[in-house]
Structure formats: structure tokens, C-alpha cells
Amino acid sequence: MACSPLARQAGVRLGMPLSSAQGLLPQALAQPHTPRLLAQRLNKITTQLLPYTPCLVQANAYTLLLEVSASLRLFGGIHSLRSKIGQTLRQAGLSYRLATSCVAQAAWLLATHPGSHIRHALAPHTLARRLDKLLCLHLPAAQPYLDWLEGIGCRHLGMLRQLSRAELQRRTSPNLLQALDCVYGKTPDTSLAWFIPPDHFHQQLELPVPGVRSETLSIAAQRLLHDLCAWLEQTKRAATRISLILKHDARRYATTRTTLTLQSSQPLWQAEDWLRLLNAQLAHLPLPAPVLSLHLQTQILQARPTTSAALLPSAKGAGSAGFHETLDLLAARLGHEAILQAAPRQDHRPEIANNWIPLQANRTSKPALASCRFVESQTPRPAWLLETPTPLASQGSRPFHNGPLMLKQGPERIEDGWWSAPIRRDYYVAQSSQGACYWVFYTDQGDKPGWFLHGLFG
Amino acid sequence: MQACASLENLHPALWRASQLAQAPAAVVDTGYAPLNDVLPGGGWPLGELIEFCLPQAGIGEVHLLHPSLTTLEAASVVLIQPPYPPCATNWPTQLASSCLWLRPQHATDALWAAEQVLRSRSFTVLLLWQQTLSFQAARRLHLAAQAGRTLCVLYRPWRACSQASPASLRLSLQPTPQGLSIHVLKRRGHPHTSPVLLRLATRTKASHHGLDSSAFSSFRTRHPHPTLAH
């Protein structure tokens, strides 16, 4: 379908079977040619050219029309803009043909027309002069009538323009006249639709060799993350949740995909921040099968926050920027269930009041305030509270735990839960002979009345 | 000619072996005068690894730090792999809602998390419990602690008393009927051999915060209090 100039020098021609091409050049790379890949590539190039102008048209799978009249002053004129665009396209590794004109369809025609001729036509009279030399063969609207035009000897667009309009319309169709007028800039073109950037970023990368090591996956994901951040930069947004899907060979392995979700409490738009979270997860990810391709897509986006700094530098707030990032990093590696935050409940029962919840993903900058108000209490509470009270043996009337315990502080009765599971406990602070203090209670309810150990005073 | 009083007072920069070494950069008052006298700088050093060796949990090892937490006005406390579930209401008010309890599955994850917390310099206090810790891992923690000003305390079992450790301050705590008996195993300067006895009588007093009991009292209102209906 297409071959690079180096391949053409070696003797590869269009239409040649793949085997003979590979016989001529064993080290040549053959890439598949599917519409999906073409569309992807076009989208990628569009994203790369968006910094030059926001007004783009994807005319077909091989053509992009850019409206640059608003960007001329920023980039220092049409010629410097042309060279910059050319540089971008060369860096992307593409061979291209660039044409400039004051009319979009004329620029398209100038670019697609083969042969060496000047592809610049900025002023309308220059445009007319350049277009007159082009062949009718390359005007899409004239394709059905080529035989007839050849027969009457009308080969160039200039000749076509000189024909009588009414006769031409009668013999061909109004479309041809309309196309001709559009190309020469006589009538405005309404068939082109502006490119609207998609809401979410979605890109995939195929690995040349199935990847098994986390370093390979990290390097491949780095490229995707850089493209993501370039896209975020253009749309002036930041992401709080992105997902990376690793696809495996569906024919050989049971699991076809592994999904990694990277979540951050703060909106992030730098590639290094996302890479740090990704590496923390990749380091401990068990891969069920070698990875064939990576797909990166954004899930939650928001506008980039504008930072307002305080007038005077504050000593305490210096580290607040790293607080959330560290928590995100810890959550990425340990999992959200391994990090717990205190959220005490309003209840007299100590095991219910002592409530710890997993770290919230959407926490605000201040730590979440507890739902209950704290007041000074006259009764002691231990530093360590067992999840379920352990029954203790009793020696006489005193509890026994690695030795007899002496009851130091008087009973505190807690009765609660009358609607579901009533409890009636007398809490004491008991001290062992070595000096360690325990929080024990005596209950006469339930199937096992007696002494229980509920906490340790640490 | 001026006569020197003695060779020791020749110059203020002359260090005598009976002096404590140069104080650490930042210290926080421990809240106990006998302990302040024994520690270099007169308090817990910030930005250094402090090691406590205990025979068992629940002897007052966390309560020992409570006065210094109030002095520091600590904003965030991280507990990594504590021996028992912590009680949220036991901490001073401003900390009760910003305590973080980390319980990773493996010890390597716990050490990694401790290092990240120390390096970020955004947390005030880090308490880490480890049963076995190699010298290299302890050294890494010490270096990470030196990056910031976090109060970093490592709790280890009793058998670690005889093992070498790179921590700059090592204490062994033993329970007594009146409170704690603290031996200073290692500190900057000359060693301290006699134990420090601390009374933790306030340990079992009301240093914690209970729940708002006004929500439960409805004696004066004629209509049932709305918060009573669950």
C-alpha cells in the first residue's frame, strides 16, 4: 500500500507481494493497515498539532486541514509556522506534504496533487493562477465525468473554468460547479466539520514483544502517560482517576485483561505524579500472563485548579502539599483497606464508638472531622482496645490474667444497646503485680457472665 | 600574668567527658522532669529514630508520649502495625480525627510505608512496631527520619535490647506498680546507668475525650430529642 523512500531505493514497489518485498529487504518492518489503526494515528497527529491551532478538520484518513489565521502572529508568520509544523510531523516519523492557501479546499487540492509544483497560494490571484495548472483528474467532484472531459480536451482546471457554466451544469451536475467555486474561493465551503476533541483520553500501545517485567511495562506506560499529560495540557484539565488495562493473549490464557486503577485525591496533570503511583502498583502486581498491549483511559476529569498562595509564608503549612500525595502513594501500594482513619461513632459501647474506616478517596484538604463532639470525660480509656473482649478466668472474685489483677479504679457502668443487643458492664482498671494496667469489665448478662479483658493501657 | 583557675575551665569549647554531647537540632519537652534531665537536649529529639524496647505491650509506652504530643500541637499521627487495635478516643482532641492506622500485610511494606511517611515531612508523629528489624533497615529508617522533623518512635521487643541499632536514642521500658522504669540504653554523650522512675499516675485519668453526652439527656425537654431516634 505504501513504502518508505528507503525501501523504494532498495527496489520495493507498490503492488509487490509482501514475500518479494521481504526477499529484497529482510530487515524491513511490515505494519498492518487497518482503518482502526489509521484513525488512531490520525487522532494522535491531530493531538500533536492542536497546540498550533484549535480549528482543525479531519478531512479523511490521510488529510488534516488547519485554520491558522489566528495563530500567525504567535508563531511569527506563515513560513515559520510551516517549518514548525513540518518539524513536529518529522519528529512523529511521518512523511507529509504541506500546502498553504487562503481557501481550504484549494490547499487540499494543492497538497494531494502529485508532481512538483509550488504548494503556496496565499493571495487569491496567485491561487487562481496555481489552480489553473492542476489536472481535472484530481478534483474529486470531476471523477464521474473524466471520460467526457478528456474527450472534449479539457484537462486542466483552468480550461474547465472557462467553459460556459450553464452548459457545464446541464451536461454534468451542479456538484461539479459548486466544487469548482469552492476551490477557487467563490463560495464558502460548508461541508467541512470542525474537529471536536473527545471528552476522555483513550490511547493504546502495542508492545513489540509480550511484556512480563514490570520495568518494561513501566517504560511503555510512560509514553502513554506523556501523551495523556500533553492532552491534559491542551484541554487545561487534570485527572483524578485513570485506568490502565493490560491485555493478554485471549487465545492462550484464561484472563484476557488486567485492570489497574490509579486514583488520586488531588487532581494531577504531571506525568511524574502518575508514574509514581503506577510504579507503586506495578511493583507488586501479579501478572497472570504476558502483556500484549496497554490501554490508557481517563475516567474522572476536572478543571485544573488555580492555586492561590498566601501572602506570608507559613511555617506549618510547608509540608501540606506532600500529605495527600504520600497518602495516595501508600494507598496505591498497600491498598485502600490497609490504611484506616479514625471515625468515632456516637455510642457508649466502646467497641462501637471505636470505629476505623478505610481512607476516603475523595477526602478534602482538611482531615475529616469526626461526627461527634468531643468533651472531657472523667473516666479512663485505654490506648489499645481489643476487637472482641476476651474472657478471663477469675480467682475468687478477682480476674486472673497471667497473675492475679488488682482492681484499682472503681466501677464504671455502661449500659447501652437496649434496642438490639443490650449490654450491662462494670468497667474497672486492673493492675497486675508487675505494674501493667488493663481495662477489664464484669458482666452478668449473656450466656457467659464473668470477667472480660477489653483493653490495655499503653 | 593571669593565673588559670584550672585546666578544665581554660576555654569554653573544651569538652569534658562528663558533659552530654551536642544537643540535637530540635527537641520537644517530654513532660516529665526526670526524663528531661536525662535526655540530650532536654526532650525527645525530632528528626531522629528513637527506639523503645518493651517486654510487653500495654505498659504505658504510648501514654508516655502524650504530653509531648500536646506540646508539639501534632497535626497527624501515623501508627504502623500496632500490636492491638488503637482506641480513637484516647488521643488528644485535635488528633482524634487525624489518626491514621496502617496495617500492611508484610513487614517490607510496613518499612516502605514508614520510609515514605518520614520522607514526605508532612506528618508530625510516626509510631512503628516491628518484631524483627535488621540493622540495615533500621539505618534506612534513621536516615529517612533525618530528612525531616518527625517524631519517630520504633517499638521493639525486649530481646532487641542486646542487639545493635543505629538509633541515636534507645530506651528500655519496664512496668512498675507506680508507673514506668526507664533505662537509657544509648544516647549521645556518656551513658546513663541508673534507671529513671516515672509516675504515670495520670495514665488512667481522663486524658481522653468522651462523646458529647448532651445529645443523650432529654430530661428537660418535653418532646423526644431528635437525635435519640436511630
Side-chain angles (χ1 to χ4, degrees), chain A residues 316 319 322-323 326 329 333 338 340 342 347 354 356 373 375 377 379-386 409 431 434 438 457-458, chain B residues 56 58 60-61 63 73 84-88 90 96 101 103 109 116 120 122-123 129 175-177 204 206 208 210-212:
Chain A
K316 273 191 210 165
F323 181 79
T326 317
L329 194 59
R333 173 150 165 175
L340 302 171
D347 203 299
N354 185 32
W356 293 81
R373 226 161 32 100
V375 293
S377 165
T379 50
R381 285 289 179 276
W384 310 122
L385 200 72
L386 303 179
Q409 265 181 275
Q431 194 175 27
Q434 290 93 20
Y438 301 92
F457 284 90
Chain B
Q56 66 183 79
E61 68 272 16
H63 190 87
E73 293 177 358
Y84 300 100
C87 186
N90 183 250
W101 172 22
R103 42 177 196 183
D109 285 342
Q116 295 303 314
S120 77
S122 331
F123 297 88
W129 280 261
T176 61
T204 54
H208 82 282
L211 305 171
D212 183 4

Side-chain angles (χ1 to χ4, degrees), chain A residues 280 284 316 319 322-323 326-327 329-330 333-334 337-342 344-348 353-354 356 359 367-370 372-387 409 429 431 433-438 456-458, chain B residues 56-63 73 76 79 82-90 93 96-104 108-109 112-113 116-117 120-123 129 175-178 203-206 208-216 230:
Chain A
H284 286 263
K316 273 191 210 165
F323 181 79
T326 317
L327 288 180
L329 194 59
L330 293 176
R333 173 150 165 175
L334 307 175
E337 294 77 29
I339 306 180
L340 302 171
Q341 203 177 12
R345 285 198 211 122
Q346 284 248 26
D347 203 299
H348 286 296
N354 185 32
W356 293 81
L359 199 61
L369 292 170
C372 51
R373 226 161 32 100
F374 285 101
V375 293
E376 281 281 346
S377 165
Q378 295 305 315
T379 50
R381 285 289 179 276
W384 310 122
L385 200 72
L386 303 179
E387 279 178 35
Q409 265 181 275
V429 177
Q431 194 175 27
S433 49
Q434 290 93 20
C437 288
Y438 301 92
L456 297 97
F457 284 90
Chain B
Q56 66 183 79
I59 57 173
E61 68 272 16
V62 176
H63 190 87
E73 293 177 358
S76 48
L79 308 160
Y84 300 100
C87 186
T89 50
N90 183 250
T93 323
S97 49
S98 56
C99 265
L100 288 169
W101 172 22
L102 268 65
R103 42 177 196 183
T108 45
D109 285 342
W112 175 85
Q116 295 303 314
V117 165
S120 77
R121 296 185 282 179
S122 331
F123 297 88
W129 280 261
T176 61
Q178 291 82 32
R203 164 166 54 151
T204 54
K205 277 255 177 70
H208 82 282
H209 292 78
L211 305 171
D212 183 4
S213 53
S214 67
F216 293 90
H230 283 269

Side-chain angles (χ1 to χ4, degrees), chain B residues 6-16 19:
Chain B
S6 77
L7 208 56
E8 289 167 2
N9 301 325
L10 190 62
H11 194 271
L14 192 68
W15 175 74
R16 281 157 279 172
Q19 282 174 331

